[in-house]
Amino acid sequence: PPTASPIPDFPTDMAPRPTSLALLSAFSAIFSVEGWSTTTNASPTSRRMAPTGPIHMSADPAASAGGGGTLLVSHLSAIGTPSCRLILASQSPRRREILDMMGLGGRYAHTPSPLDESALQKELAGKEGITPETYARTLAERKAEALGLVMVEGGETEVEGDADTTFILGSDTIVDLDGHILEKPTDKAEAVGMISRLSGRWHKVHTGVALYRVCESVSGGDGRLSLVSSFTDTARVKFADLSERDVVAYVSTGEPMDKAGSYGIQGVGGQLVESMEGDFFSVMGLPMHRLSRELARAVSSLK
């Protein structure tokens, strides 16, 4: 059988390890890497990567990125410091899990919002012209704002410590079936009814997100509260055709009882989902990518 061409010599300051060369070869058919060209002989086994010019790599990846990073990953070290802290106005384990996955584990605090959520839901439901998207965003804003007001007025919270700037993150997720909002079920019978309505159909999941900022007052007062940004991220989800036994069995797991629309896509309820469009994490409780951009923008504004 034909043998591979010998690997060319590399300058000592950039000699790749064999594993690195293999990875470059694997990706060479898809990506064009500056400073490299792919040489192919008669046999597939003879494909190799040859340097066509010097490659300059910075010892600090961030230094070579140019400008400020647009994602939170470029600013993680700024959060959880005396200058900047983040508080999640929620006790949701799913939202905490998403923040942890974003690299924020140990860098933020969490405490429930003092907002009377049920009263606000009734208030919004009684207003005409409130779309599901606006409904979710408004709930998120009010959750974060309520906690921020307590902090500004010097009230007690479960969060200890101070920082020059505190960002408060509020969020709310709802299920929208043809314009009808499906909140958390009040009992198992309602959960069965919700899932039965969703069976075999497309629906939308809206997650509202709001970020407030509490700053120390320059005059020595309690501080200032301001809205940094708020938005609603929407995903579309399609349930498979579910049998009555499937629906009852799922509800009997107890998982639906604390979730909007009576299901959790990240758990047992993921089996009900046939397909989806949009951000999976938005359905889970926080749109990771969009939140990453908003947090990066907020942290960058402090510099």
Side-chain angles (χ1 to χ4, degrees):
T3 59
S5 300
I7 298 175
D9 294 331
F10 291 82
T12 57
D13 63 340
M14 53 174 271
R17 298 177 181 177
T19 52
S20 299
L21 184 63
L23 287 173
L24 285 171
S25 299
F27 283 102
S28 64
I30 303 174
F31 300 104
S32 175
V33 183
E34 183 179 357
W36 295 85
S37 66
T38 303
T39 303
T40 306
N41 292 338
S43 169
T45 60
S46 64
R47 179 171 294 182
R48 59 186 175 88
M49 297 294 293
T52 59
I55 297 178
H56 303 285
M57 299 182 66
S58 170
D60 180 7
S64 63
T70 60
L71 297 176
L72 177 64
V73 67
S74 297
H75 305 275
L76 283 174
S77 62
I79 297 180
T81 68
S83 299
C84 175
R85 70 173 176 172
L86 174 67
I87 301 176
L88 173 65
S90 172
Q91 289 286 60
S92 167
R94 295 171 294 281
R95 294 190 176 107
R96 297 203 303 270
E97 183 180 356
I98 292 171
L99 290 182
D100 290 347
M101 285 190 287
M102 293 175 70
L104 287 168
R107 294 183 177 273
Y108 69 97
H110 59 87
T111 186
S113 170
L115 177 71
D116 185 344
E117 191 172 339
S118 297
L120 179 57
Q121 289 172 340
K122 292 178 181 178
E123 176 189 332
L124 294 175
K127 290 185 177 180
E128 294 185 4
I130 297 292
T131 65
E133 293 89 343
T134 300
Y135 181 96
R137 189 186 72 248
T138 302
L139 278 168
E141 290 175 351
R142 297 285 286 275
K143 285 180 181 180
E145 181 186 36
L147 180 58
L149 288 172
V150 170
M151 295 178 62
V152 167
E153 294 168 1
E156 293 186 1
T157 69
E158 297 180 10
V159 179
E160 298 181 354
D162 294 309
D164 295 339
T165 297
T166 297
F167 290 111
I168 302 175
L169 177 63
S171 184
D172 192 80
T173 300
I174 62 171
V175 169
D176 168 7
L177 180 62
D178 299 331
H180 298 284
I181 296 172
L182 304 183
E183 293 278 7
K184 299 173 184 177
T186 56
D187 53 37
K188 288 186 176 181
E190 186 174 18
V192 168
M194 285 188 189
I195 298 172
S196 297
R197 290 171 63 189
L198 294 171
S199 175
R201 303 176 64 185
W202 282 94
H203 63 272
K204 297 177 181 178
V205 179
H206 306 291
T207 292
V209 178
L211 191 65
Y212 272 80
R213 176 180 177 180
V214 179
C215 300
E216 287 188 346
S217 175
V218 294
S219 60
D222 293 322
R224 303 185 305 275
L225 177 67
S226 59
L227 176 64
V228 176
S229 65
S230 65
F231 61 88
T232 299
D233 192 81
T234 300
R236 297 181 69 239
V237 180
K238 184 179 186 298
F239 269 20
D241 290 315
L242 306 174
S243 68
E244 181 179 352
R245 180 174 179 177
D246 290 332
V247 174
V248 172
Y250 175 56
V251 173
S252 69
T253 67
E255 185 179 82
M257 303 314 298
D258 66 338
K259 296 173 178 62
S262 300
Y263 77 96
I265 195 171
Q266 76 287 346
V268 181
Q271 299 176 54
L272 315 181
V273 176
E274 187 174 86
S275 60
M276 69 164 291
E277 299 171 356
D279 189 341
F280 169 89
F281 294 105
S282 190
V283 182
M284 186 173 167
L286 277 175
M288 184 185 289
H289 176 75
R290 194 164 177 186
L291 175 60
S292 174
R293 287 186 174 276
E294 293 299 327
L295 286 174
R297 185 179 295 112
V299 172
S300 295
S301 70
L302 302 179
K303 300 176 181 179

